[in-house]
Amino acid sequence: MAIDLDRIPSTYLQDYHPEVGDSFKAMRQAIATGPLDYETCEYIVIASFAQAGFEEPLKIHVTRMLNRGTPIANLKHAVEVTLGATTPLFAVVRALRWIDEAVAENARA
């Protein structure tokens, strides 16, 4: 199943409570104006979702990066970097599989 980027969790939040959704969006935009570029921020987010075990958000962000032409090896490396530092082997391998699934879903879309 392809990920519907128009129905990401923040969209649901926006539909449920527009003021909170607007505040969340404003917070994310404020964070994005920091010194790191978009791609670096996305790698950090992907690695964080991998570490936390959040499949759906990881796949959403992987799909965004794939749509920008990011090499799959870069996405996997962002997850592998956390191995032994903050993420155990099982969680890294699970996230690598999720990346493979997102790549396959993106190819079918």
Side-chain angles (χ1 to χ4, degrees):
M1 149 189 3
I3 295 167
D4 183 356
L5 294 178
D6 294 327
R7 298 303 298 167
I8 58 176
S10 59
T11 303
Y12 285 104
L13 179 62
Q14 182 71 37
D15 291 347
Y16 170 71
H17 197 273
E19 186 175 289
V20 174
D22 289 343
S23 296
F24 179 81
K25 185 176 180 180
M27 177 199 64
R28 294 299 302 159
Q29 288 172 339
I31 291 169
T33 63
L36 297 177
D37 61 75
Y38 175 83
E39 218 173 70
T40 301
C41 291
E42 283 297 301
Y43 290 137
I44 293 168
V45 168
I46 288 166
S48 297
F49 285 141
Q51 190 275 329
F54 295 156
E55 178 180 2
E56 185 78 13
L58 180 137
K59 287 182 174 182
I60 289 169
H61 286 267
V62 164
T63 299
R64 286 181 181 165
M65 293 293 277
L66 291 171
N67 290 340
R68 292 174 60 95
T70 302
I72 298 163
N74 292 18
L75 301 169
K76 289 184 172 187
H77 189 227
V79 170
E80 290 172 327
V81 166
T82 67
L83 179 61
T86 59
T87 313
L89 178 61
F90 172 79
V92 168
V93 172
R94 178 181 57 193
L96 294 173
R97 288 181 179 149
W98 291 340
I99 292 171
D100 288 338
E101 290 171 9
V103 169
E105 291 165 3
N106 197 52
R108 287 192 296 266

